[in-house]
Amino acid sequence: MTTTTTSTAIVQFIDTADGPFGILADEGGAVIASGWTDDPVSLVERLRPRDRPAEIREGETAAGDAVRAFYDGDVEPIMTVPVRQRGTEMQRAGWEALRRITPGSPLSYAEFAAALGSPTAVRAVASICARNAVALFVPCHRVLRTDGTLGGFAWGTDVKRSLLAREAAA
């Protein structure tokens, strides 16, 4: 199999109200992994082995400004940040659909499955959310259990609750 490893990635960490937020971006500026951590290894491990960068260096990313804006109350800029995720056709369609969920108007897994045209694929859409490597920029936190409870989130339900409250207030 041909390797698709990015040669170099930029990592940036930003202090937020929910703790440190790490961004891993490729050489073109697209976010390839992100989340509430100050550990670059935990970001890299969100990627499939063949998609992991050979080298990581610290620096500034364009995405950093969008994260700061989000935490200052402007939730829209995160949706304009370029992202790059590799996956199946269904995963890619799901990640794109997550970016279209209106901030402050979360969907249930069942509603999200229906929006993707597969109303019975609730487990599949839960898997799409779980495999999302670019948290915040692809807002999997906007998907809830059918009963309205938070469900899981790779970065913890306290962070998920905070993000949803921030978006509802915006």
Side-chain angles (χ1 to χ4, degrees):
M1 179 170 269
T2 304
T3 182
T4 57
T5 301
T6 302
S7 60
T8 302
I10 307 300
V11 67
Q12 178 181 12
F13 297 102
I14 298 167
D15 289 326
T16 75
D18 295 316
F21 186 81
I23 302 166
L24 191 63
D26 66 16
E27 294 169 299
V31 175
I32 58 174
S34 58
W36 287 265
T37 181
D38 59 3
D39 177 20
V41 172
S42 67
L43 293 174
V44 170
E45 288 177 345
R46 301 282 302 161
L47 303 170
R48 297 181 304 180
R50 67 176 178 240
D51 295 334
R52 294 176 180 170
E55 179 185 345
I56 299 173
R57 62 181 173 84
E58 287 191 37
E60 296 290 313
T61 67
D65 291 336
V67 173
R68 287 185 196 92
F70 180 87
Y71 278 94
D72 286 341
D74 185 359
V75 300
E76 294 303 321
I78 61 168
M79 303 317 301
T80 64
V81 170
V83 298
R84 182 177 54 80
Q85 294 196 88
R86 292 192 172 98
T88 66
E89 186 176 325
M90 184 171 181
Q91 286 171 329
R92 290 190 314 272
W95 294 326
E96 289 172 17
L98 285 167
R99 294 191 97 184
R100 292 189 297 269
I101 298 173
T102 303
S105 300
L107 298 178
S108 70
Y109 286 107
E111 291 168 329
F112 185 54
L116 285 175
S118 300
T120 60
V122 175
R123 283 190 176 176
V125 299
S127 177
I128 287 168
C129 290
R131 287 186 169 81
N132 175 30
V134 290
L136 190 61
F137 305 105
V138 173
C140 57
H141 64 273
R142 294 181 187 159
V143 182
L144 308 173
R145 289 183 176 154
T146 302
D147 66 3
T149 58
L150 293 179
F153 186 58
W155 305 102
T157 54
D158 287 343
V159 172
K160 185 172 184 171
R161 183 178 297 105
S162 172
L163 298 174
L164 292 170
R166 191 172 300 283
E167 290 178 341

